[in-house]
């Protein structure tokens, strides 16, 4: 048990606060021989990095990752080979200048975790959000980059499919498009509408929620175990642990409540390669908590950030009633940056279950 | 790590198949001195039991629970006192008669876990659904009954809030009503419409999905821990581990994607008792993974059961293409019976975090 | 985390008190396809059973094990095939008659755990020793029987190598002899001396300590992981968790303190089969926490039971000073019955690490 | 589950190799409000540091610890207050110069873990011992320093009680003396004999084993849980996980095999303060796996290091038979430096069980 770890055979422990000297993580259980590089991990970190468009916070975080343990040099330039011992990753915090946090230190932002931390611990690192800062998610992305290397043939991609009430049109879903706009949006037309929406949101100092979809292809069948080590249960926990996430779905998710048994049943035929072919994927690639070989499809809802310019009623740590507004650099839609984080958390769950399945059954 | 356990300080391990001699669970970590009784556990089991209306399967399961360890007799009649050692609970399976499972043993029901089990394990107990049978959930309900006793003042209630496309009207939500109709429906008018819908569904041999809402009141503030021991992440995993569940929400859940930061912020004032009062509960009682003292609100979507009378295309274990239909006694809407199970899983998560919070902080 | 479980991928949870209706365990993680039978498990249970000679307690415990879940019938008579789901084992307690425990319930036996239970929990099942009864160890033996089936070619044997100050002569060590005397003694001459010693011990109502040695052959090289998942660390924990055990050694153990580096080094040559051959085994088959392919050798010390006829000074639960003596049926040397238990605990650790090694590395 | 972590509520994960850029650990679960300082941690690290006498390796390791997360500044100079979030500790490796490891990289030292790593992983960081280097133990000592702060009134001290065949005389045991000689020896006369022994050992390029004793006072009664979360089982695992340890004892340990029940029983009287007083401590402060309030006494045996100047027969990674000797700076007796490590591992186990006991029972 641990408050700051997830996974079992592929186990990640993160540490660090927004304004401490560094953040980091320990990735334990990487199979020996797994090929890595700092560049490969950096690639995914760069996707998550803020300040890349006017739609994410302008705070500059170089987020240069270093691998401190657990590898030996490989043959190619920059290539590293995992030795099977724990891989420590670390990112220096460049912007730790002391400043006056007076108000933030004592006043609770409505909708933010700071009051919960104070209730739980009686003490809280208020500097830049402390442990609850989105900065921690960089380490999830880094761990996810390693997870991707563990399962042969695995591809995990994410897209933003809804901002506010504007959802994409499934008929225009195009993975390539997600790399062409600043929203990871798979629908070029909707991306334009989001741009307008977020410009308005940003100007008004407001924020807005979103829905992210993650699709994992190449997931071997058989991952996950009944009944409390289900792949979907672990994906749900992993995604729900991301800052600001309030809902998780697998496959048709909440829409499955409206289906009949006939509609929901993913029929099966034999493929030309002698393997089962599912004719639909309402199940999102998971039946009984076990992967079927279909694409694993998960979605999660991200609430709007509580950092807004409009004053809201609240209290301070002494119990005085106050009005709170949050100045400074903000993300109008934190759901955008949640896309690579969601990918990473799904990849980590799959890698963990891949090793667990191999351990218990020896079938892969 | 375990495939069939959940929780950490309050830890539940279940075992058993539908048609073996018995099912059971071991509940480890109950604080010494906790008061229990078989009658109290039985009360919750009886709520889950099938065959109580024409809307659930007519299979008769007396489901008489026995406590086999971990208690000493208390002073009152039937009262038991937990000693702190593991509490083993067991229910005999009364209906284990051998019958011809020929077809079911080899043919995969579309939308059912049996193909996934076969892929994973290469062997499967097909009798009555084996380990994937809903029968296992009886032990979750039993464990939940113990969990309720651990947190002073805790109340966990559930309601069915949607069947198919027919959702309740929030303005008519009445907890008392949930005990007056066979659907745990909090809206008397909607209960009548569901009765019609399910009669039709049953007659056509079909099935339909549903949404369950669980509300926990009296949850102490401070439960849950950043960042991977979040209370909501554990609730999400617990609920997603229930058979047929495809989505989980906390508070506003997926609707929070459509909110602005202003709408989503639960403003805070000081109450007359000198404690913070939240003016709304979009967060569902959890901020940053930590309970705030508000009601914890979770919802989950249950897909329609795959056991339907309409033939669907599938394959058998030998790779032959076949048509499959499921004869026999069915639940047209398994979401109904999921209500007490959902309550139990939320109660277990809260009890576990109650003990964890006490352990780490000593603050309760 | 759990108070009553051990192992990770092969995970055992036991429950039950001496005088409750039954004791049992849940074995989670058995690979699907593993062949079992109740008779095979019973075989090992019968070895541990008391009342088989005048040197162990005369209490009769039929200890008939039942498998309640997790298997399907195999092809041979009585053969069972593990399905990969949890295997529940149970033994009914036949002798639960209520009797007057007045004194035992309130008076603390010096050297016994009852005072510790009362301090910890404030309540204790005093009937027949409750949870601290040696009866629980039957479930360890049963779980060990399953563990033996998991690792191909594994053989785990135990012997009693010392009672009181009388140790065996290594030059006469004969595994076959361990089955010919009631002490699991590998040295026929010493077995005779032990018989005299224990007759005298029994007559005087006293008790005596012992040392058990367990040797596991056929352990694949590579099991165990640095630095806190070491095979020897887990064996140490498993053995130390057995009632009355006060010390654990691997290989030369405490004697290695007296060795020089030259003496301690197990030199290596190449065998005719092209595999490394160690010329000695001071390491007990484990280097750096990882098995080397040599025999794994562990020893553990069992203290004399506190159940003796001589009155000892103690207190009762109310803090009164009293004299305590324990009437009834006793083992003069509980170390004898610890032999099959020690075997089982070593087998469980090896099976768990076998699955873990396969999971992380895929190398077996 | 994790290969590189220990503890449950107080959980430590270490990472790092001897010749990487740094080593470190993450300490998760420190109660909020716990007072720390880098100086306090450094104090214990300095005790473990090599190069402080001619009896330990002359390698200079400044071992300057940094705290990277999980604290806020306290009121006193240098004081830090734990916030309840993970505390990351790190020590830079100053001496990482690349050198020719040719022989060491390929030749297996008899009695060393390098062959086991190669068998397990197929790859190994041979530079300076890699993950199996004693350098990792610095992080155990650092974590132990935090653990000491968690349990009010706890004192954990260690002493070297045997080198080779020369053991201390218990009648001269003096804790103060352990700080006056370079061996942590509590017996001034024996310290002189050890000096001679180790001078000779060092000159001959040999090495020698030792026995360490750790005594924890101020351990609250009630820590530990039946049956697999026993305090002594966790102490045994923690100590056995230290490099080169081959045996662990609690209380009388292996000597208890030679005792009668009468001798072994620690009799109890009532003290003047109305609390139980044990008249002896054969049990080493633990009964049934639960602390009794007496001093917890543990001992462990440390084998001689395999780094010796005398050539020993071995093989290389290609299966060639070779002779191996280890040049360079060596510890003639690694048991000396194991003293503060043993203290730390015992302190960590006690802190973990302190939090677990508080969590389950609320009794402290």
């Amino acid at each position: 048990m641990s408050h700051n770890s997830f996974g079992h055979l592929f186990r990640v422990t993160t540490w660090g606060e927004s304004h401490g000297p560094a953040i980091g993580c320990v990735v334990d259980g990487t199979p020996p021989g797994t090929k890595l590089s700092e560049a490969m991990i950096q690639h995914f970190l760069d996707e998550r990095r803020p300040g890349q468009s006017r739609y994410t916070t302008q705070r500059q975080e170089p987020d240069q990752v270093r691998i401190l343990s657990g590898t030996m040099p490989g043959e190619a330039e920059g290539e590293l080979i995992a030795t099977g011992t724990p891989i420590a990753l670390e990112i220096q915090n460049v912007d730790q200048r002391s400043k006056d946090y007076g108000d933030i230190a004592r006043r609770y932002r409505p909708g933010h975790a700071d009051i919960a931390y104070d209730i739980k611990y009686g003490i809280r690192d208020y500097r830049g959000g402390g442990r609850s800062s989105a900065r921690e998610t960089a380490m999830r992305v880094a761990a996810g980059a390693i997870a991707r290397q563990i399962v042969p043939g695995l591809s995990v991609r994410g897209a933003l499919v809804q901002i506010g009430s504007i959802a994409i049109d499934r008929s225009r879903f195009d993975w390539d498009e997600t790399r062409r706009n600043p929203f990871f949006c798979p629908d070029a037309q909707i991306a334009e509408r989001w741009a307008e929406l977020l410009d308005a949101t940003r100007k008004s100092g407001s924020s807005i929620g979103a829905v992210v979809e993650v699709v994992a292809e190449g997931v071997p069948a058989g991952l996950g175990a009944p009944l409390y080590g289900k792949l979907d249960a672990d994906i749900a926990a992993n995604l729900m642990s991301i800052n600001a996430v309030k809902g998780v779905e697998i496959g048709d998710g909440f829409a499955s409540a409206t289906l009949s048994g006939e509609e929901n049943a993913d029929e099966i035929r034999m493929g030309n390669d002698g393997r089962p072919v599912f004719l639909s994927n309402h199940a999102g690639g998971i039946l009984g908590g076990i992967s079927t070989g279909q694409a694993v499809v998960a979605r999660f809802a991200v609430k709007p950030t509580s950092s807004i310019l409009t004053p809201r009623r609240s209290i301070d740590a002494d119990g005085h009633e106050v009005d709170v507004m949050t100045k400074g650099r903000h993300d109008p839609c934190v759901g955008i940056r949640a896309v690579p984080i969601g990918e990473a958390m799904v990849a980590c769950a799959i890698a963990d279950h891949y090793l667990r399945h191999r351990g218990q059954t020896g079938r892969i």
Side-chain angles (χ1 to χ4, degrees), chain A:
Chain A
M1 185 187 126
S2 180
H3 315 298
N4 291 280
S5 303
F6 63 97
H8 290 272
L9 288 191
F10 181 76
R11 186 162 179 87
V12 179
T13 301
T14 75
W15 56 267
E17 278 82 32
S18 176
H19 279 53
I23 59 172
C25 71
V26 185
V27 178
D28 199 5
T30 308
T34 304
K35 291 185 180 177
L36 309 172
S37 70
E38 289 190 349
M40 176 270 289
I41 298 173
Q42 193 65 46
H43 163 76
F44 290 103
L45 282 171
D46 289 346
E47 286 197 332
R48 189 209 69 97
R49 199 168 54 189
Q52 304 193 94
S53 81
R54 67 179 184 274
Y55 305 107
T56 55
T57 174
Q58 293 306 299
R59 188 153 60 105
Q60 292 300 320
E61 298 172 351
D63 277 3
Q64 193 66 39
V65 71
R66 289 178 69 211
I67 297 178
L68 298 182
S69 67
T71 64
M72 289 285 282
E75 296 182 4
E77 172 72 22
E79 186 185 72
L80 298 170
I81 312 290
T83 60
T85 61
I87 299 174
L89 303 173
E90 195 170 297
I91 297 174
Q92 300 294 316
N93 286 336
V94 291
D95 181 11
Q96 318 166 39
R97 62 181 166 229
S98 196
K99 66 173 185 177
D100 181 10
Y101 287 96
D103 273 13
I104 298 175
R106 311 284 306 163
R107 296 177 166 212
Y108 300 134
R109 284 163 286 178
H112 193 274
D114 40 22
I115 187 171
Y117 273 69
D118 259 12
I119 291 171
K120 181 176 188 73
Y121 296 119
I123 182 175
R124 169 175 53 98
D125 190 344
Y126 47 80
R127 299 167 297 186
R131 182 70 178 146
S132 67
S133 163
R135 217 170 141 48
E136 181 269 348
T137 58
M139 301 323 303
R140 303 177 185 233
V141 172
I146 297 175
R148 292 169 191 265
Q149 298 294 97
I150 290 174
V151 184
L154 177 67
S155 157
V156 183
R157 294 183 290 188
L160 202 62
V161 297
Q162 183 180 331
I163 295 183
S165 299
I166 308 174
I168 62 157
D169 183 328
R170 291 265 153 196
S171 69
R172 289 192 298 260
F173 198 112
D174 176 3
W175 280 113
D176 292 338
E177 183 59 32
T178 60
R179 305 304 170 191
R180 290 192 209 113
N181 60 65
F183 311 111
F184 301 102
C185 180
D187 174 343
Q189 292 182 30
I190 289 295
E192 292 179 24
R193 292 186 53 197
W194 287 354
E196 293 167 24
L197 173 64
L198 289 189
D199 278 333
T201 302
R202 191 163 50 87
K203 276 174 197 154
S204 65
S206 183
S207 63
I208 188 87
V211 176
V212 176
E213 179 166 308
V214 176
V215 178
E217 293 171 298
V219 181
L223 310 194
L227 285 163
Y228 306 107
K230 287 181 169 177
L231 178 58
D232 42 5
D234 281 352
I235 289 176
N238 277 12
L239 293 176
M240 193 66 93
S241 78
I242 301 173
N243 297 7
V245 171
K246 301 303 285 184
V248 180
E249 294 183 321
I250 303 294
D252 280 3
F254 278 87
S256 62
T258 68
L259 299 180
S260 69
E262 289 77 10
E263 292 165 326
N264 183 66
D266 296 316
E267 294 186 299
I268 318 171
R269 297 280 84 176
M270 289 305 292
N272 293 329
D273 60 353
R275 304 178 66 176
V277 175
F278 291 87
L279 306 184
S280 55
N281 191 12
H282 297 284
I286 301 176
L287 288 171
I290 300 168
S291 64
T292 61
Q294 284 196 285
V296 169
V297 181
R299 265 180 312 283
F300 58 98
V302 185
K303 69 177 183 185
T305 176
S306 58
S307 296
I308 51 176
L309 286 177
T310 311
R312 308 302 294 168
R313 289 174 290 174
S314 186
I315 59 171
D316 67 15
D318 300 318
H320 300 129
E321 298 191 337
V322 294
D323 278 2
V324 172
M325 60 171 283
T326 315
K327 299 168 207 162
R329 303 161 297 190
H330 298 133
D331 275 336
C333 178
V334 288
I336 300 171
R337 291 170 59 198
V339 174
I341 304 164
E343 292 176 6
M345 294 308 283
V346 170
C348 286
I350 291 169
D352 185 32
H353 278 280
Y354 179 81
L355 301 183
R356 291 168 67 173
H357 180 56
R358 183 164 71 185
Q360 194 193 355
T361 71
R363 290 171 78 89
I364 48 176

